[in-house]
């Protein structure tokens, strides 16, 4: 569809026919009825298309996945029950025991644990690189058994902006795809396929849902990566015994990767979202461009306000001129980055605590990226177990505050932040 993204957010994925429901129906059904066992058998052999069990496919989930695929400019997508499941499947679909992945070190803490602890137990090795690594440094991280490069377009919580073209070109030179987590910018602000990324993942829990109601995830396939260019991806290019010897690249072409994710990983691992959660996600998607625009406007004003208050040592908001990542963000997310900012408050941990406790609108919560403004002090919460040195190593000082700016009226927010900043310096 050639529409602009705001229109796609409303129209894509579901087109009711004459007399059908105008809003996407919730198909709250586990199973689907067929008139003959022959027909049903063909579905199990992937010889014909159709629904037979919601763990694999469900019409509500599929409509929402199709909308997200269209927003990203991909050929296909699958919803998962969480962002974590999306990250896991996106890598596990093409890597197994004995394989190796190059990953940016600036990734969500949950993803880091998934890779560095849990997936290592499955025999998959990871090398973590700086998101600002040079081409030489990136090249040096590859091994003969490397199967993918993984990174976040705008990292949570460090807010590092990825040079997508650089990471994509190095990955491609080594014959492997670039997988990026595009949760923070959303396709409204950044479409990584336009810069060479091959697979996109999302935690839809954040801006896409937008109201902190439903945990969910999504994987989108650009359809651009040629899995047959080398022998690194036998799971896609050689017969799958669990489907009577189907070869995904031969049977499904550009849809090989996403089809395998659905019919093999989702079949076997089953991290399927409830159709009702997909329905809620779809409501969120309808207003995503409006909300993201306001989040970015509010965050920029809040970042400038904090910078000019004299109460901060450093403000990190890549959407603000002079901030780290601003130049890269201008290229990859010219309309805005996200609503998340971080800053170091003058007066250390004490001031941080006073600031947090003085806020009235902004809530203390571990969530980010929904309609309500919320605030987190990583050193005393998410990173509480780390020693002073470990905190320094991962760039989290004890005066660092992360603020996820919501869509309340900016004047109310600035008043709240201003009062709390004043209280923090007493
Ligand atoms: C929250 C988050 C995740 C994990 O998603 P869940 O939906 O919480 O499982 C992954 N990546 C990023 C960038 C996130 O912010």
């Amino acid at each position: 569809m050639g529409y602009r993204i705001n229109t796609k957010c409303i129209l894509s994925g579901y087109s009711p026919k004459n007399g059908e429901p105008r809003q996407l129906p919730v198909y709250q059904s586990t199973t689907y009825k067929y008139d003959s066992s022959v027909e049903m058998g063909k579905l199990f052999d992937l010889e014909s298309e159709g629904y037979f069990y919601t763990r694999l496919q469900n019409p509500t989930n599929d409509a929402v996945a199709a909308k997200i695929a269209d927003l990203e400019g991909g050929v296909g997508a699958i919803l998962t029950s969480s962002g974590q499941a999306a990250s896991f499947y996106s890598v596990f679909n093409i890597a197994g025991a004995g394989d190796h992945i190059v990953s940016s070190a600036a990734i969500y803490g949950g993803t880091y644990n998934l890779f560095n602890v849990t997936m290592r137990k499955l025999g998959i090795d990871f090398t973590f690189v700086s998101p600002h690594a040079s081409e030489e440094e990136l090249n040096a991280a590859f091994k003969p058994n490397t199967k993918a490069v993984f990174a976040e377009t705008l990292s949570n919580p460090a807010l590092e902006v990825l040079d997508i073209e650089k990471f994509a070109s190095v990955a491609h030179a080594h014959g492997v795809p670039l997988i990026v987590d595009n949760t923070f910018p959303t396709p409204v602000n950044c479409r990584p396929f336009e810069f060479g990324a091959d697979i996109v993942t999302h935690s839809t829990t954040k801006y896409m849902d937008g109201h902190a109601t439903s945990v969910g995830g999504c994987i989108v396939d650009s359809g651009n990566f040629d899995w047959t260019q080398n022998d690194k991806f036998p799971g896609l290019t050689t017969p799958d015994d669990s489907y009577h010897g189907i070869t995904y690249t031969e049977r499904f072409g550009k849809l090989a990767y996403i089809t395998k994710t659905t019919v093999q990983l989702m079949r076997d691992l089953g991290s399927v979202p409830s159709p009702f959660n997909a329905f809620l996600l779809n409501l969120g998607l309808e207003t995503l461009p409006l909300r993201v625009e306001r989040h970015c406007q509010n965050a920029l004003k809040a970042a400038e306000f904090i910078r000019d208050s004299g109460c901060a040592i450093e403000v990190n908001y890549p959407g603000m001129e002079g901030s780290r990542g601003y130049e890269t963000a201008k290229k990859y997310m010219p309309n805005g980055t996200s609503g998340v900012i971080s800053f170091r408050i003058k007066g250390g941990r004490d001031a941080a605590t006073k600031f947090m406790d003085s806020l009235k609108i902004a809530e203390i919560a571990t969530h980010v990226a929904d309609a309500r403004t919320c605030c987190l002090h990583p050193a005393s919460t998410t990173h509480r177990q780390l020693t002073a040195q470990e905190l320094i190593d991962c760039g989290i000082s004890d005066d660092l505050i992360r603020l996820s700016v919501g869509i309340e009226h900016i004047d109310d927010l600035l008043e709240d932040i201003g009062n709390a900043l004043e209280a923090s310096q007493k």
Side-chain angles (χ1 to χ4, degrees):
M1 242 200 285
Y3 292 126
R4 289 161 185 81
I5 200 150
N6 301 49
T7 310
K8 289 182 179 183
C9 280
I10 303 289
L11 293 183
S12 293
Y14 174 66
S15 323
K17 297 190 194 73
N18 190 41
E20 287 184 352
R22 191 159 176 241
Q23 179 55 283
L24 173 67
V26 182
Y27 289 92
Q28 195 73 35
S29 180
T30 57
T31 36
Y32 305 82
K33 179 209 152 221
Y34 286 90
D35 288 338
S36 82
S37 48
V38 174
E39 255 179 280
M40 185 94 173
K42 283 184 180 165
L43 295 175
F44 273 90
D45 278 350
L46 305 181
E47 278 173 15
S48 61
E49 268 186 54
Y51 294 99
F52 57 98
Y53 193 53
T54 280
R55 171 151 39 77
L56 282 96
Q57 286 190 287
N58 169 281
T60 309
N61 295 358
D62 282 2
V64 182
K67 178 178 278 188
I68 296 173
D70 199 31
L71 298 181
E72 288 286 6
V75 294
I78 181 173
L79 296 189
T80 56
S81 55
S82 66
Q84 286 298 103
S87 303
F88 175 54
Y89 286 19
S90 72
V91 173
F92 196 58
N93 200 37
I94 47 172
D99 289 336
H100 171 257
I101 304 293
V102 175
S103 173
S104 165
I107 53 176
Y108 173 68
T111 312
Y112 185 78
N113 279 333
L114 168 68
F115 289 174
N116 195 43
V117 179
T118 300
M119 289 183 79
R120 278 190 200 278
K121 289 184 190 161
L122 297 176
I124 303 173
D125 186 20
F126 289 82
T127 298
F128 293 95
V129 295
S130 161
H132 307 301
S134 67
E135 280 193 25
E136 294 70 47
E137 288 166 330
L138 283 176
N139 281 327
F142 282 79
K143 300 181 180 182
N145 55 344
T146 302
K147 296 301 169 76
V149 177
F150 187 97
E152 291 180 7
T153 51
L154 175 60
S155 73
N156 176 11
L159 303 176
E160 302 293 354
V161 185
L162 187 73
D163 186 342
I164 303 171
E165 283 179 351
K166 177 167 73 183
F167 270 64
S169 83
V170 172
H172 295 162
H174 290 269
V176 304
L178 173 64
I179 305 173
V180 291
D181 180 333
N182 196 33
T183 296
F184 266 24
T186 83
V188 170
N189 278 345
C190 178
R191 285 178 297 283
F193 295 155
E194 293 172 6
F195 302 103
D198 302 287
I199 306 293
V200 159
T201 63
H202 283 282
S203 166
T204 62
T205 316
K206 313 294 164 56
Y207 290 113
M208 283 190 171
D209 170 86
H211 305 80
T213 69
S214 317
V215 172
C218 186
I219 304 169
V220 191
D221 186 352
S222 68
N224 292 335
F225 193 81
D226 178 9
W227 306 102
T228 62
Q229 65 181 278
N230 52 42
D231 57 6
K232 284 177 181 284
F233 308 102
L236 288 163
T237 59
T238 64
D240 180 352
D241 291 338
S242 71
Y243 281 111
H244 305 307
I246 276 183
T247 299
Y248 293 100
T249 45
E250 280 172 14
R251 177 70 75 90
F252 300 104
K254 280 182 173 298
L255 290 165
Y257 173 95
I258 204 72
T259 303
K260 177 175 177 286
T261 313
T262 305
V263 302
Q264 191 192 72
L265 293 192
M266 198 54 97
R267 177 196 64 186
D268 295 350
L269 299 169
S271 313
V272 67
S274 110
F276 186 69
N277 281 12
F279 171 83
L280 291 175
L281 171 57
N282 189 51
L283 290 185
L285 289 169
E286 290 190 355
T287 58
L288 183 67
L290 295 177
R291 289 184 291 102
V292 162
E293 191 181 335
R294 182 59 60 84
H295 278 290
C296 292
Q297 285 170 0
N298 279 358
L300 178 58
K301 286 184 184 148
E304 289 170 344
F305 179 83
I306 295 166
R307 178 195 64 194
D308 298 341
S309 72
C311 302
I313 298 168
E314 187 192 351
V315 181
N316 184 13
Y317 182 62
M320 180 171 71
E321 206 167 347
S323 186
R324 193 172 85 226
Y326 177 73
E327 293 303 324
T328 320
K330 249 191 349 196
K331 171 174 177 179
Y332 292 108
M333 32 198 98
N335 298 326
T337 53
S338 78
V340 183
I341 69 186
S342 65
F343 64 99
R344 292 180 57 201
I345 196 163
K346 280 187 185 161
R349 185 183 281 251
D350 268 2
T353 308
K354 281 188 205 154
F355 173 80
M356 304 264 303
D357 292 349
S358 307
L359 290 166
K360 296 224 154 44
I361 296 177
E363 297 158 338
I364 299 174
T366 47
H367 204 249
V368 282
D370 66 69
R372 294 169 180 75
T373 297
C374 61
C375 192
L376 181 76
H377 181 231
S380 65
T381 54
T382 49
H383 295 68
R384 192 182 181 84
Q385 315 305 337
L386 275 61
T387 64
Q389 187 55 46
E390 284 171 336
L391 283 173
I392 292 166
D393 289 347
C394 66
I396 292 177
S397 46
D398 65 0
D399 53 8
L400 187 82
I401 291 171
R402 186 181 73 183
L403 194 63
S404 174
V405 182
I407 56 175
E408 302 91 345
H409 196 288
I410 186 63
D411 293 345
D412 292 328
L413 286 179
L414 295 186
E415 203 177 296
D416 194 28
I417 294 168
N419 289 338
L421 284 173
E422 202 179 305
S424 76
Q425 303 299 310
K426 280 184 185 146

